[in-house]
Amino acid sequence: MNLVLNEDQFRVTSIQFTSKKLLIFSGIPLNKSSYRTYSGKYYVTIKIKPDALPTQPAIGQYWSVTGERKIQDMDTGDYLMKQHVYESPEHVECRLPETGEQLIRFIASESAFKGIGESKARALWERLGKTFHATLTNDTPESRTLLRDILSEDSITSLFEGYAKYKNLAHCNWMSEHKIPGSVQQRLLKYHNEQSITAIKANPYVLIGFGMRFSVVDELFQKHLKGSVHDDRRLSAALEITLRKEVSKGHTYTSQANLRPQLLKLLQDKELVAKAFQAGHDKAQYLMNHSTGTYHPTAQLLMENVVVKRLKALASQDNLYGEHANLAYGTAVNELPYELTQKQTEAVTTCLDNSISCITGGAGTGKTTVLRTALRAYNTMGFQIHAVALSGRAAMRLHESIGFHTSTIAKLLRDEPIDADQHKHLLVIDEASMIDLPTMYRLVNHVHPSVRIIFTGDPDQLPPIGCGKVLADIVISKAIANTMLDIVKRQEGATGIPEYSKLINQGIVPNLLSTGTIHFHETNKLQIEQVCCELYQQSPQNSRVMAPTKKLVFEINKKLQESINKNGRMLQFNMNGELFYQYLRLNDAILFTQNIYDKGIQNGSLGVLTSVELLGNTYGEVTLDTGDKIEVTQDVLDCMELGYAITLHKAQGSQFPRIIVALQKGRIVDRAWLYTAITRAESEIHIVGTEEDFRTITEAASHSHRRNSYLVELLKG
């Protein structure tokens, strides 16, 4: 059935709702003959994903819309209004006003033009007339001279700055017409500015680097720009995609045997595949190691070399444990309420003796005790300490453990670089098994070569999400001073957790799957969600479910909410005079998925929704597990999810009294995943799955061991 497409032009008068997933804005029609329909006035409303818009709507802007239209009656109290509603329309376009009256009204009402009311806007039009747009396109002394007897210097600046927002409208509208998402447009414009369309036409596959899929760009290239399948730009782009896929699996190098099938799938022609390899070689997209026949993506090889250069330079600075360090060590040890073991003493002195060192070991082996002691000694020696972790929750727990200021790595990288000044500096990277190659590359470029580094972590735990395995490679290479702690300190009593986790780490299936406070629940795949929910309900205050995939996390969270909080008041918000409800309920467990530093929120923060009272722009309140209160505004709501169940990466660096592990075979789940999940428990573990899956996962080598990483070879060399 062919849909009837309607069209409206309107001036924006209100923006009722905005979030990352939905934007609703309305306005009055511009066509005077359309002021009345069905004997009533009407207005136009668009409901759309923000990514589909060429620019952010603002009051006063002029828009046109084409698509399927629904006409609704809106009772305003005094009279009946018609509303033309477009949901996900075929085409939307923002444009600058064309007539004098429209332009005057636009300048006067648009907030970007501060200090310019209708009278000044009219005077501007009378002065500039048809040269208005040409004059404001370039901020020159001549242009400013024309405006000085009408506007103040501040208002002139405001006029040029406000107009600059709209100078790329033609580009945005063209890109929207070619189905290029708004987020891609904005990234492209930020980089290429008014040359964006020229850049696309010069090489459409540049869009892949800004977030578009190869197949979508390929269609644009062949269908709209009439490109050839033999074009080198297309072939290079296909090779780049296949290289990125290998990198996304964690590899920093690969082989032709892995690349060829993926290239063939994209290009559908063996001859084109051969040409793609040649095109990639000519453009230095990869370097080939002829002795091994391996293909090294240029970016990853560059990062590995930069990281290794820094690590080796620091490793050459050893034998630093002098009298000053010894005095600092004595001061730090004297503050302890207990004596260090011989291995812990060795670890602390190794940290003080080397410019770069590692403290590694399994969960509960005393890494935190060693680190805290070493940091107190460094603090006594006058070092400024920068302690970081990958996730917000891990950074928070690190602060609680060591007593020094901590932050996420992302925040550190946003701050000013750590440079050589009057202070000596020490960078501490906790949970370093999670650090991938790009992150390590950014860190070494962010800190001065004189900055000392301490890694702490367990190289046998979950590998990074990104490519490489920095900590594991460092340990394997033996090029960096490392102390491996092997005596478990954390779990006390007869929990059985230390012995159990050690066996898993060694690839040995325990004789008893249930032992001590570890309980194995034989469960078929279809019942895992239900059993996890039943176990959670036995002790909700102390429990957290660990699941391998976001999909499984979502399903378990949904079931748990239905089971234990079905009647909780729903979070609500007001939009255009109507109440809308979120799936979150009062007293739900909450997980935050992004950092919002000015609100005190970090990625991985957990809490409880303790209020759903709607007060203006605040929808409720979350109480974090730290005790801090967070007001739920729209930006906060956008990064809130149910938190009864979480993925293991969100739990990295944290512990919970009682964990429930949803165990099932999959791409993510391996021995390291199971080992890491078990070590998140303080006192009680419930593993839900089949014995067959448990054995398969435990006995197979960790996925991280199958990662191709050249860092270890460079460190050894």
Side-chain angles (χ1 to χ4, degrees):
M1 182 179 72
N2 293 325
L3 296 175
V4 177
L5 296 182
N6 302 99
E7 184 177 357
D8 272 302
Q9 290 81 38
F10 64 99
R11 179 169 58 85
V12 178
T13 56
S14 66
I15 301 168
Q16 295 100 322
F17 181 76
T18 179
S19 73
K20 292 183 178 179
K21 297 180 180 179
L22 177 66
L23 197 148
I24 302 175
F25 62 109
S26 300
I28 58 174
L30 291 175
N31 189 339
K32 291 183 179 180
S33 64
S34 299
Y35 276 149
R36 291 179 180 272
T37 57
Y38 303 109
S39 72
K41 294 182 178 180
Y42 82 87
Y43 61 97
V44 181
T45 296
I46 295 179
K47 299 180 180 180
I48 195 169
K49 291 181 179 179
D51 219 23
L53 294 172
T55 189
Q56 182 74 16
I59 292 173
Q61 289 176 344
Y62 286 67
W63 286 75
S64 64
V65 56
T66 304
E68 186 181 6
R69 180 174 68 195
K70 296 178 182 178
I71 298 178
Q72 301 174 350
D73 290 333
M74 298 295 291
D75 190 352
T76 65
D78 297 324
Y79 50 84
L80 194 67
M81 288 278 290
K82 296 289 183 182
Q83 181 180 209
H84 290 189
V85 180
Y86 293 84
E87 293 192 24
S88 302
E90 290 287 318
H91 180 70
V92 284
E93 180 177 314
C94 180
R95 55 190 177 85
L96 283 169
E98 296 174 0
T99 69
E101 284 302 316
Q102 289 178 347
L103 190 60
I104 290 165
R105 193 165 189 175
F106 171 68
I107 295 290
S109 61
E110 165 61 283
S111 60
F113 303 104
K114 297 177 183 177
I116 304 176
E118 186 171 339
S119 60
K120 289 183 179 179
R122 190 172 298 279
L124 285 171
W125 175 253
E126 291 173 355
R127 169 66 57 84
L128 302 176
K130 293 181 179 180
T131 66
F132 188 94
H133 295 303
T135 302
L136 297 187
T137 298
N138 296 301
D139 185 355
T140 64
E142 292 76 17
S143 298
R144 284 179 172 263
T145 300
L146 283 172
L147 306 175
R148 282 201 176 96
D149 60 339
I150 301 173
L151 302 175
S152 67
E153 203 65 38
D154 287 345
S155 293
I156 292 173
T157 299
S158 173
L159 180 64
F160 279 111
E161 289 178 351
Y163 193 85
K165 285 177 55 179
Y166 297 96
K167 69 178 182 180
N168 288 321
L169 270 183
H171 305 302
C172 292
N173 290 328
W174 182 90
M175 287 189 278
S176 291
E177 186 178 342
H178 287 82
K179 306 301 181 186
I180 298 172
S183 58
V184 175
Q185 294 178 30
Q186 295 310 310
R187 288 192 288 269
L188 191 69
L189 285 166
K190 188 175 181 180
Y191 190 81
H192 288 287
N193 212 328
E194 61 268 15
Q195 298 301 313
S196 293
I197 294 178
T198 302
I200 293 171
K201 290 180 177 179
N203 183 6
Y205 295 94
V206 71
L207 291 166
I208 294 172
F210 293 91
M212 286 184 71
R213 290 182 291 113
F214 177 85
S215 58
V216 177
V217 179
D218 208 31
E219 182 181 357
L220 170 66
F221 178 64
Q222 294 186 51
K223 183 177 179 181
H224 296 284
L225 302 178
K226 311 302 180 186
S228 167
V229 295
H230 295 274
D231 194 297
D232 273 359
R233 295 171 296 178
R234 178 174 184 262
L235 302 179
S236 292
L239 179 63
E240 185 66 25
I241 290 294
T242 58
L243 288 170
R244 287 185 189 179
K245 282 188 177 179
E246 289 297 290
V247 171
S248 72
K249 296 174 185 176
H251 305 309
T252 66
Y253 68 87
T254 187
S255 66
Q256 189 176 116
N258 289 327
L259 295 172
R260 185 174 289 277
Q262 298 178 58
L263 267 176
L264 187 58
K265 185 177 179 180
L266 289 175
L267 300 175
Q268 300 292 311
D269 186 290
K270 291 182 179 180
E271 181 185 344
L272 291 179
V273 169
K275 287 184 176 180
F277 278 115
Q278 186 60 50
H281 179 270
D282 293 344
K283 292 188 175 182
Q285 289 175 270
Y286 65 85
L287 293 176
M288 187 172 179
N289 186 330
H290 293 284
S291 63
T292 60
T294 50
Y295 288 67
H296 297 251
T298 306
Q300 278 63 43
L301 187 60
L302 170 66
M303 287 189 283
E304 286 176 321
N305 276 281
V306 170
V307 169
V308 165
K309 183 178 179 181
R310 174 65 61 85
L311 298 186
K312 282 188 170 182
L314 287 170
S316 67
Q317 302 170 34
D318 54 6
N319 296 318
L320 304 175
Y321 191 89
E323 183 178 348
H324 189 33
N326 189 53
L327 288 172
Y329 168 77
T331 301
V333 169
N334 288 336
E335 294 176 0
L336 294 174
Y338 45 78
E339 289 188 5
L340 296 176
T341 66
Q342 182 179 348
K343 200 73 171 178
Q344 288 174 327
T345 299
E346 177 190 332
V348 175
T349 54
T350 298
C351 290
L352 298 174
D353 193 41
N354 294 271
S355 283
I356 184 168
S357 59
C358 301
I359 306 167
T360 58
T365 55
K367 296 190 299 292
T368 301
T369 299
V370 169
L371 179 61
R372 184 168 55 242
T373 307
L375 295 189
R376 285 177 178 173
Y378 266 109
N379 186 53
T380 301
M381 291 192 294
F383 278 79
Q384 190 168 329
I385 294 165
H386 309 268
V388 297
L390 195 61
S391 72
R393 187 171 176 81
M396 180 178 66
R397 297 303 184 203
L398 178 62
H399 169 69
E400 293 170 356
S401 299
I402 64 175
F404 290 91
H405 173 73
T406 63
S407 75
T408 61
I409 290 174
K411 185 176 186 303
L412 177 79
L413 292 172
R414 283 197 298 271
D415 292 340
E416 288 296 314
I418 302 173
D419 212 339
D421 51 23
Q422 67 270 25
H423 297 287
K424 295 175 288 186
H425 296 272
L426 171 68
L427 175 65
V428 179
I429 305 173
D430 192 38
E431 297 289 352
S433 64
M434 297 175 67
I435 305 302
D436 59 22
L437 175 63
T439 302
M440 194 65 217
Y441 172 78
R442 293 182 67 196
L443 282 170
V444 298
N445 280 293
H446 193 73
V447 303
H448 191 269
S450 64
V451 176
R452 295 192 188 186
I453 299 176
I454 295 177
F455 296 96
T456 68
D458 184 350
D460 294 322
Q461 281 194 8
L462 209 59
I465 296 176
C467 67
K469 45 188 177 74
V470 175
L471 182 64
D473 284 347
I474 287 173
V475 172
I476 293 169
S477 73
K478 298 182 179 179
I480 307 296
N482 172 46
T483 307
M484 174 69 78
L485 303 174
D486 51 13
I487 300 175
V488 175
K489 292 287 185 181
R490 182 180 292 161
Q491 294 96 354
E492 297 180 357
T495 64
I497 294 173
E499 297 80 7
Y500 202 90
S501 63
K502 187 174 182 179
L503 288 172
I504 297 296
N505 192 31
Q506 293 172 344
I508 300 171
V509 177
N511 290 329
L512 297 174
L513 297 189
S514 293
T515 180
T517 60
I518 302 163
H519 309 276
F520 185 85
H521 304 266
E522 179 69 31
T523 309
N524 70 56
K525 185 176 181 179
L526 297 177
Q527 296 298 314
I528 287 177
E529 294 172 16
Q530 184 60 38
V531 173
C532 286
C533 291
E534 291 170 359
L535 288 167
Y536 186 96
Q537 291 175 67
Q538 294 174 9
S539 182
Q541 300 303 318
N542 297 314
S543 301
R544 197 74 59 174
V545 180
M546 305 288 165
T549 65
K550 290 182 179 179
K551 182 177 184 298
L552 186 56
V553 164
F554 177 81
E555 294 299 331
I556 293 174
N557 272 323
K558 189 167 64 172
K559 280 183 178 290
L560 277 170
Q561 185 192 52
E562 184 69 17
S563 300
I564 65 177
N565 198 24
K566 181 178 181 179
N567 298 318
R569 281 179 58 197
M570 295 183 72
L571 188 74
Q572 61 185 15
F573 56 90
N574 191 304
M575 185 172 68
N576 200 22
E578 295 183 63
L579 283 179
F580 291 82
Y581 294 89
Q582 275 281 354
Y583 68 93
L584 301 174
R585 297 177 181 271
L586 182 66
N587 296 322
D588 270 338
I590 298 296
L591 168 73
F592 290 96
T593 59
Q594 294 177 23
N595 296 317
I596 308 180
Y597 293 114
D598 60 336
K599 299 287 179 67
I601 297 170
Q602 293 182 312
N603 186 1
S605 293
L606 291 164
V608 175
L609 185 59
T610 48
S611 170
V612 291
E613 294 298 324
L614 181 61
L615 297 171
N617 294 325
T618 301
Y619 310 146
E621 185 177 74
V622 173
T623 301
L624 298 180
D625 54 7
T626 59
D628 295 329
K629 308 284 187 181
I630 304 295
E631 288 187 343
V632 181
T633 53
Q634 186 58 56
D635 59 336
V636 172
L637 183 60
D638 283 341
C639 67
M640 284 170 56
E641 296 179 359
L642 289 173
Y644 300 105
I646 59 178
T647 61
L648 189 53
H649 272 100
K650 295 296 184 187
Q652 193 84 325
S654 301
Q655 281 197 298
F656 305 91
R658 181 175 183 264
I659 67 159
I660 301 158
V661 181
L663 186 69
Q664 56 181 224
K665 285 193 299 184
R667 184 179 64 85
I668 295 173
V669 181
D670 63 358
R671 183 195 303 168
W673 188 94
L674 179 57
Y675 168 66
T676 306
I678 289 171
T679 59
R680 297 307 92 201
E682 292 175 349
S683 56
E684 185 178 338
I685 301 170
H686 293 266
I687 302 171
V688 182
T690 66
E691 181 177 345
E692 181 184 357
D693 280 358
F694 186 96
R695 288 185 176 277
T696 301
I697 291 165
T698 301
E699 292 173 348
S702 169
H703 295 166
S704 63
H705 296 304
R706 298 201 295 267
R707 285 191 175 196
N708 298 326
S709 173
Y710 199 52
L711 189 75
V712 66
E713 300 301 326
L714 292 171
L715 282 168
K716 287 179 179 179

